[in-house]
Amino acid sequence: MLIKPLFSPGHLPGYRLFFCVLAAGVLMFADQNFTRMETLRAQLSTVVAPVQWVVSLPSDLLSWGTIAFTEQQALVDENRRLREKMLTLSHRAQRMDSLQAENAELRDILKAAQKRDIGYITAELISLDNDPFSHRMVIDRGRRNGAYVGQPVIDASGLVGQVTSVSAYSSRVILLADASHALPVQVNRNGLRFIVQGTGRYGTVKVLHVPDTADIREGDLLTTSGLAGRFPGGYPVARVTEVYHDPGRPFAQVTARPLAKLERSRHFLVLFPPPKREAQTPWGDSLSISDVAFGSAQRVAAALRAADAPRSP
């Protein structure tokens, strides 16, 4: 089918062009000088609007589909990234809680260590004995770290126990609550000295051989006395919880609660107390008097003889 041209050659073609130009000029003049043309234009736009909407519908649908699919994929990708980030942050938060608790525990341990010339190394719990009648543990410090048998171990709250055996990279520690463990203590309030022994339960120790007239009461703090040279003096051990006086017995029954968190602590300090100085005696290893002591005795005897000798007039 042939399309009929708007300006087909025929009779008087110039008049049609002139008429179109004239109509356009009149409309522009009226639109510029009369306000009614705005109302007419608005009405014509309302009539033409559905046609414009239908004409632009395919393009709008294509653009909307492109944007929708693009945004959906972007949202899916963003959602996946956010989920991964949330899992990572959750893992870090859990780890952070653990590190904060560990840091607080280590700070408490450092505050618990007395400010004296006592060396120490930090240690961490490896395992506990499964035997319910034995309270022992294994820590991650051994001979290569300088650990030795009899070395005291503390946590943030007080004395934990002592090393009983040492390997290259780990050590076994007997806890304060073990029934076979005992150590000398003193009452922090008045200096009375006693022996504390474990009972086989984490929360209770007993104080041995307390005279019925001894000045010990509930709430007294028991600290290491420093006797026997194994545990340095002044470290908190337990707090007295009960003092029972039996009228028919010469000794009171005294129980105490360990201050160390024996069931919960995971970090410890292994102490290096200074070596005990041996008492200097005038006797040698063979029980014979030493040369230095013998010379001193001779000088003292000579001085005494000179003092007792009669003076010449």
Side-chain angles (χ1 to χ4, degrees), residues 186-190 207 215-223 236-244 253-259:
Q186 66 181 10
V187 180
N188 191 54
R189 178 172 54 87
N190 52 26
V207 185
D215 183 16
I216 187 171
R217 63 188 69 167
E218 294 182 10
D220 280 345
L221 175 64
L222 304 178
T223 61
V237 177
R239 191 172 294 278
V240 177
T241 57
E242 183 182 3
V243 179
Y244 177 71
Q253 298 179 9
V254 181
T255 57
R257 175 179 53 82
L259 295 178

Side-chain angles (χ1 to χ4, degrees), residues 4-11 13 16:
K4 184 178 180 180
L6 179 63
F7 300 100
S8 59
H11 300 285
R16 295 180 181 179

Side-chain angles (χ1 to χ4, degrees), residues 133-135 159-161 174-181 197-205 258 262:
F133 302 101
S134 176
H135 297 289
L159 186 69
V160 173
I174 182 171
L175 301 182
L176 179 65
D178 193 276
S180 62
H181 186 271
Q197 184 178 8
T199 61
R201 297 187 298 271
Y202 283 113
T204 305
V205 294
L262 302 179

Side-chain angles (χ1 to χ4, degrees), residues 15-230:
Y15 290 103
R16 295 180 181 179
L17 177 62
F18 176 75
F19 176 75
C20 290
V21 172
L22 181 61
V26 171
L27 291 175
M28 287 188 292
F29 178 79
D31 183 42
Q32 183 70 25
N33 295 278
F34 300 100
T35 58
R36 293 182 177 274
M37 294 299 296
E38 295 181 0
T39 305
L40 179 61
R41 187 187 304 107
Q43 293 175 354
L44 292 176
S45 299
T46 303
V47 174
V48 177
V51 178
Q52 293 177 341
W53 183 78
V54 171
V55 171
S56 62
L57 182 61
S59 177
D60 293 341
L61 288 176
L62 181 61
S63 300
W64 177 82
T66 303
I67 295 174
F69 286 112
T70 303
E71 290 184 352
Q72 183 179 4
Q73 185 63 33
L75 289 175
V76 171
D77 296 338
E78 184 179 3
N79 191 17
R80 185 179 64 255
R81 289 194 302 269
L82 291 177
R83 285 181 179 275
E84 293 176 356
K85 187 175 181 180
M86 182 180 66
L87 291 176
T88 303
L89 293 178
S90 177
H91 176 265
R92 289 182 179 179
Q94 294 175 7
R95 182 61 178 167
M96 184 64 66
D97 293 339
S98 176
L99 291 176
Q100 287 178 350
E102 179 178 335
N103 190 22
E105 185 177 1
L106 292 176
R107 288 179 180 273
D108 290 338
I109 290 177
L110 292 178
K111 287 190 295 184
Q114 294 187 355
K115 296 180 179 180
R116 295 190 296 179
D117 295 333
I118 298 180
Y120 59 84
I121 55 174
T122 59
E124 189 171 355
L125 176 68
I126 296 179
S127 64
L128 289 170
D129 280 358
N130 296 324
D131 187 357
F133 302 101
S134 176
H135 297 289
R136 301 169 188 265
M137 66 179 181
V138 180
I139 58 176
D140 62 346
R141 291 291 183 266
R143 191 178 300 108
R144 290 181 176 271
N145 307 108
Y148 57 88
V149 175
Q151 196 170 11
V153 180
I154 68 170
D155 70 353
S157 302
L159 186 69
V160 173
Q162 60 179 304
V163 177
T164 57
S165 63
V166 179
S167 63
Y169 299 99
S170 63
S171 300
R172 291 181 63 84
V173 178
I174 182 171
L175 301 182
L176 179 65
D178 193 276
S180 62
H181 186 271
L183 75 153
V185 298
Q186 66 181 10
V187 180
N188 191 54
R189 178 172 54 87
N190 52 26
L192 289 177
R193 294 184 292 271
F194 302 105
I195 300 295
V196 164
Q197 184 178 8
T199 61
R201 297 187 298 271
Y202 283 113
T204 305
V205 294
K206 57 184 178 181
V207 185
L208 303 180
H209 310 306
V210 179
D212 192 65
T213 58
D215 183 16
I216 187 171
R217 63 188 69 167
E218 294 182 10
D220 280 345
L221 175 64
L222 304 178
T223 61
T224 53
S225 64
L227 298 179
R230 175 157 295 188

